[in-house]
Structures are given as structure tokens and as C-alpha cells.
Amino acid sequence: ALSAGIESAKFLADNATNDGGATTTRFEIGGGGDLVLNGAWTEPPDPTCSDSTKNQDETDVDCGGDICDPCAEGLACSVNADCETVNCSGGTCGAALTACGSGDTASMQGYWKLDEAVAGPVDDAMGLHDGTNNNATINQDGQVGQAYTFNGTTAYVDTGNPFEMTSEVTIEAWVKMNSCPGTGNNPPIAGKQSLDGKGYTLFIDGSCNVYMLAYTTAGAGYAMRNAALPIGSWVHVVGTYKNGDASNLYINGVKDTDAPIGAGSGTIVPNSRNFIIGGSSINNQWFPGIIDEVAVYNTAFTGPAASCAANDPGGTIYDVCKHYIRSSAEDAYCPY
């Protein structure tokens, strides 16, 4: 603000006139007269991660962002990676999330990352049920690492194991549709496809709607996603069945609101078919697109577990816990 009696002030010279090591800054005040400020000129220092100033791309003072170390609990953040605890919640670094509880891994029966870069067995990360690739294209860009492309005509993976479930099952995968299968073509994403009213499968219909189907002692029970999956975009899909709780679907971590259809109780009727991914030579059904990160469990995921599996792909929490039932301490991480 200008002092009383001064009507105007005009900056005439930037800090550029050096007089014996001093800098002269000249102003014109009112009708004339110079105000001269003398002093050594020092260039401001480059910003660092220890200058007690929030600069660069830091989310809090001297921490966060791509340059500085992660921030401590209680400091500001934008994403999980900004925090030492790998837990950014509401813009603040929260407490570290508990690792997956003991015994949770027991529900996983098979996990195929589909990361193979050379031809050979389709690795089961559980180390028990490596699959056989039949005509799928390997080493494709996946949602997490690499993935397999299924050609919609002949490609599938046979895991060589029937995975007989009884009261509960969960199947999950990342999928990217290249096209919809077309009328009359209902290929599996993964499961035990059967023509004799037995087994369970997570599949796509000809219009790219998703189904979770379980044949039980009480009849066929299934959940349907009554909205087509997009073409060319990754979608995380989880299908579950639990005796007494019917079939359910979770799309990108959100429970689908379409009501389950058919039987909601009964044990799953076993069949002798192997667990397959991406296609079925039994009934000539073929998946046209890319599949990644397939897993099957002998328990039915609930909201938090299904949601967490879909979030933060490739991130720390995802790597640690994405394929296991999560403890209550981890539920805060999940948006569902």
C-alpha cells in the first residue's frame, strides 16, 4: 500500500545495477526523488528435500512426490506412494496397513499371472497346477506385467486340475475385450465349463455381459452383469458363489446391483472337467480378448476383499494382499 501523500510508485530498474558489490534498486516516488536500497545480492538456492520448504512436487514439507522421500504418518499426500506407510487416506498419510492375516492364503487354490515371455508351461504361482497353453499369444501388455491374448477361435489354457469346490468359490481376473463374442458364444473367462449341469464358471455372453454361474444341488444359480463390458479397456471381474448367499459379481471392486438369479443355496455339483481359462473346446466357446491375473479360491470373497483386489494394480498393497481375504485393519484402504 502507498503511504499518505504518495500518489504513485513506479519500478524503474530491476536488481541489475551493481555498485561495488551492492545492488541498486531505483523507484520513482510521486513527482521525483530516488529511493536507493543497497545490499549484497544473493541468488536464491535451488530447492531441495531438506530446505524446510514445500516446493518442487512435494506433498508436504521436504517429502512426498516423485523427488523426495515418502512422508511420515500424519503429513499430506496425494497417492499411497507419498507415504512411508503406503496408505494415503483423505489426503493424509495414515497408519500402515496390516499385512494379510495368517491363514488367509489357504483359500487360494490357483493363481496364474500369465506373465510368461517364452513358450512353455503356464505357471501357477501357488506352485501346484501349471497349465498348458493352447494357441493363446503370450507376452502381451497386461494390467499387471504381461498377459495372454485369446484369439476368439481356438485359444485357451488348461490348468490340468478340476478344483472341486463344494459350498463356496471365487474366481477373479483382469480382462480387456477386443470384441464381443457374438450371439450364441458364451466363453469362459475361467472356470469349469460343463454341458451336463455341473460345476461353476465366470463367463462372458455374446454381448459382453458378465455372468457368474454355479450349478448346485438346488439348481442353477447365477449373477448377471446387465451392462456390457467396454471394448479395449481393462476391467477387474470377481465372481463368487456361497451356499445360502447365491452368486455375486464385483466389477472394478464394486458389487453389481443386479439381483442374483436362480438358486441361492445348495452345494456345487462336481464335474470331472479341468479348470480352464479363455475358451472351451468342449462346447466350442472362445474368448476374444486379453486376460491377466487369474485366481480361484475355495471361499467366497465379500465386498472389501473383492474391492481391494481391484485397486492399486502394481502398487505395494496390491502386491502384498490382492489375492487374499483382507483383515479388518485393511478395510479402510478399500473404497467399497
Side-chain angles (χ1 to χ4, degrees):
L2 299 174
S3 300
I6 300 178
E7 296 180 357
S8 65
K10 185 167 138 181
F11 183 64
L12 297 181
D14 198 354
N15 295 315
T17 302
N18 191 294
D19 183 9
T23 297
T24 300
T25 303
R26 177 172 294 176
F27 291 84
E28 181 181 297
I29 302 178
D34 293 336
L35 174 62
V36 178
L37 305 176
N38 294 309
W41 173 254
T42 303
E43 291 288 341
D46 292 332
T48 70
C49 296
S50 58
D51 55 12
S52 300
T53 303
K54 183 177 178 291
N55 46 33
Q56 307 178 103
D57 66 344
E58 299 162 13
T59 59
D60 210 311
V61 176
D62 293 340
C63 67
D66 293 330
I67 300 172
C68 299
D69 291 336
C71 298
E73 183 178 346
L75 299 182
C77 60
S78 296
V79 295
N80 288 335
D82 292 329
C83 304
E84 293 177 349
T85 57
V86 201
N87 178 22
C88 180
S89 179
T92 302
C93 293
L97 299 177
T98 307
C100 298
S102 60
D104 292 339
T105 60
S107 69
M108 178 180 280
Q109 303 300 295
Y111 171 25
W112 300 271
K113 297 182 178 182
L114 304 181
D115 280 344
E116 283 73 29
V118 296
V122 183
D123 180 63
D124 172 15
M126 298 293 286
L128 300 174
H129 308 295
D130 290 352
T132 301
N133 178 16
N134 296 272
N135 303 313
T137 304
I138 66 173
N139 201 27
Q140 306 292 290
D141 290 339
Q143 176 65 1
V144 183
Q146 303 308 108
Y148 281 26
T149 292
F150 295 81
N151 59 20
T153 56
T154 60
Y156 67 102
V157 169
D158 187 335
T159 71
N161 191 280
F163 291 115
E164 297 294 1
M165 308 301 181
T166 54
S167 297
E168 301 181 39
V169 64
T170 294
I171 303 172
E172 70 161 320
W174 285 96
V175 299
K176 181 192 282 189
M177 305 302 300
N178 289 338
S179 63
C180 290
T183 303
N185 192 5
N186 304 308
I189 297 172
K192 289 168 57 67
Q193 195 97 356
S194 177
L195 297 177
D196 54 2
K198 301 176 182 179
Y200 55 89
T201 187
L202 178 65
F203 71 95
I204 300 285
D205 73 6
S207 300
C208 287
N209 297 307
V210 186
Y211 291 75
M212 178 63 189
L213 171 64
Y215 290 107
T216 77
T217 52
Y222 62 94
M224 172 187 175
R225 163 75 167 179
N226 194 23
L229 295 185
I231 304 299
S233 297
W234 283 107
V235 179
H236 188 262
V237 182
V238 174
T240 71
Y241 174 79
K242 183 176 183 178
N243 187 0
D245 191 31
S247 296
N248 287 290
L249 286 169
Y250 297 83
I251 308 299
N252 285 334
V254 178
K255 186 176 182 180
D256 195 78
T257 56
D258 293 330
I261 303 168
S265 61
T267 57
I268 299 171
V269 180
N271 68 29
S272 59
R273 306 296 185 186
N274 286 343
F275 188 89
I276 55 177
I277 300 169
S280 173
S281 59
I282 299 169
N283 52 6
N284 200 33
Q285 308 282 319
W286 310 102
F287 183 92
I290 309 174
I291 301 178
D292 197 9
E293 301 286 307
V294 178
V296 60
Y297 312 77
N298 62 10
T299 57
F301 277 10
T302 58
S307 182
C308 287
N311 281 281
D312 194 27
T316 301
I317 300 303
Y318 185 92
D319 287 343
V320 172
C321 292
K322 95 178 202 26
H323 286 288
Y324 308 114
I325 304 297
R326 300 172 67 89
S327 67
S328 59
E330 296 161 332
D331 288 349
Y333 175 76
C334 307
Y336 178 78

